[in-house]
Amino acid sequence: MSTGAPRVLPADSGIAEAASVLRTGGLVAFPTETVYGLGANALDARAAARIFEAKARPSFDPLITHLADTAELEKLVGPLPPAVAALAERFWPGPLTLIVDRPAAVPPIVTSGLDTMAVRVPDHEHARALIAAAGVPVAAPSANRFGQLSPTRAEHVVRGLGAAVDVVLDGGPTRCGIESTIVDARGERPVVLRLGALPVEALEEAAGPVTVRPGSSGQPVAPGTLAAHYAPRTLLRLVSGAEPAAAGGGRRGFLAFRDRPAGTWAAVEVLSPAGDLTEAAARLFEALHELDGTGVDEIVVEPVPEVGVGRAINDRLRRAAATWRPAT
Ligand code: TXA
Ligand code: MG
């Protein structure tokens, strides 16, 4: 854990300074519509290496490269395969990451040696302004230490990464709250490598049937799909339906979808009293950060309906719970 604090600048007025930090090999955390990213110049191997160091991220976990628009991507990689271009046209800017061939200009460290590269154009005014001002593609994983909760606020980044990052652009809470959906559309039928903020239903409406690849905990094609990931520090246990509080002992927190649970809990967070999955996704990591900070011994969490972005929420909850071990 690094000591000290990064410079925190407003997302609008701080762009020129942050862009110059990127151009000179520094690390800039910036808001996107999904979560905060930890950005570095994707053409600079040394800068990209600093991302892995700051996150304590294993070198086998490739980064997502962010562009200001599709034209910039085509300048970098040439014309896109038709099915990839169609999804880009339909969903960019937006929470969709696509797989393309890695161009020679992007050093292999960015893609962990893969000959493919994950790319997206974020739907966030200040993110795109930053990338455009930097004038380079920006490699950016979520701005958290590896395996920890993704940051949806500048404070989460400051707390998690400290002075390991040079500048944090503060654009307030992120809109989607959950990472982008990763799709490999280069083959016959698009394959969803990671569930995310763009619902599978929306993809299928645009592209026809897709295959959702079940999460792999082996040599990861998309290590955001490691079984144990997105974990708070507190033990987290996924239950079906609100269970009554245990009699005696233990301070426990509850993460609910729409209704407050019965029984006595040391802390409760409700994701969306209206039962809205988009709102629930936007609040997910924030609520987990909150519960994690209350000092409870365990966080009990109920799954949300398995439709739309609810699938991505449940996916994150299952991964966060994968590290839970009952007390013996
Ligand atoms: O919403 C998002 O996608 C956020 C914001 C900052 O854009 N970024 C993000 O990055 O979630 P990260 O590093 O936490 O997750 C990137 C995922 C990893 O699981 C990585 O393995 C996968 O993208 N990935 C990167 N390159 C890939 C490739 N060539 N093929 C398959 N998966 C890839
Ligand atoms: Mg991540």
Side-chain angles (χ1 to χ4, degrees):
M1 179 71 41
S2 65
T3 51
R7 264 178 303 151
V8 180
L9 304 173
D12 46 4
S13 57
I15 283 173
E17 187 175 343
S20 104
V21 169
L22 283 177
R23 273 194 308 271
T24 52
L27 296 186
V28 173
F30 61 97
T32 77
E33 79 280 35
T34 59
V35 300
Y36 276 73
L38 178 63
N41 178 355
L43 305 180
D44 178 345
R46 193 184 284 260
R50 286 193 59 201
I51 292 180
F52 288 90
E53 204 180 309
K55 285 186 57 109
R57 181 179 178 109
S59 60
F60 61 73
D61 192 356
L63 308 175
I64 295 174
T65 296
H66 296 65
L67 284 308
D69 56 46
T70 308
E72 288 300 317
L73 176 62
E74 286 177 326
K75 273 192 219 160
L76 189 64
V77 303
L80 303 175
V84 176
L87 286 176
E89 166 75 24
R90 171 73 181 76
F91 292 111
W92 282 353
L96 172 68
T97 292
L98 293 166
I99 305 297
V100 299
D101 291 337
R102 177 177 62 84
V106 171
I109 186 174
V110 169
T111 65
S112 297
L114 296 175
D115 53 12
T116 57
M117 176 174 76
V119 287
R120 79 182 194 96
V121 175
D123 183 16
H124 192 289
E125 187 193 344
H126 301 311
R128 284 208 311 283
L130 171 70
I131 300 163
V136 292
V138 175
S142 51
N144 53 283
R145 286 177 67 85
F146 185 72
Q148 299 291 309
L149 293 173
S150 295
T152 57
R153 290 176 176 273
E155 303 90 272
H156 297 159
V157 180
V158 173
R159 227 184 289 147
L161 294 176
V165 42
D166 299 307
V167 166
V168 179
L169 284 182
D170 186 351
T174 60
R175 176 166 60 78
C176 300
I178 204 161
E179 297 86 347
S180 62
T181 303
I182 303 179
V183 175
D184 186 350
R186 295 169 307 148
E188 273 290 285
R189 176 199 271 242
V191 181
V192 175
L193 300 179
R194 177 179 73 180
L195 295 165
L198 182 71
V200 169
E201 291 90 334
L203 273 172
E204 293 201 310
E205 203 182 294
V210 302
T211 302
V212 178
R213 211 192 59 148
S216 151
S217 52
Q219 168 57 40
V221 178
T225 62
L226 285 172
H229 212 83
Y230 307 108
R233 282 162 309 198
T234 314
L235 296 177
L236 188 134
R237 186 157 56 95
L238 194 58
V239 296
S240 47
E243 58 165 38
R251 282 168 37 84
R252 303 194 304 159
F254 194 95
L255 179 64
F257 171 47
R258 64 181 301 170
D259 300 313
R260 298 188 76 81
T264 313
W265 299 88
V268 171
E269 290 284 330
V270 179
L271 289 175
S272 172
D276 179 67
L277 285 167
T278 303
E279 181 185 30
R283 290 220 51 236
L284 176 68
F285 286 122
E286 158 134 52
L288 283 169
H289 277 285
E290 289 288 328
L291 288 170
D292 209 18
T294 59
V296 292
D297 301 324
E298 174 186 86
I299 301 167
V300 175
V301 52
E302 60 180 359
V304 305
E306 184 76 13
V307 292
V309 75
R311 292 180 66 170
I313 296 175
N314 287 334
D315 168 76
R316 301 302 187 274
L317 290 177
R318 278 191 292 268
R319 293 176 202 291
T323 49
W324 182 80
R325 297 280 176 280
T328 48

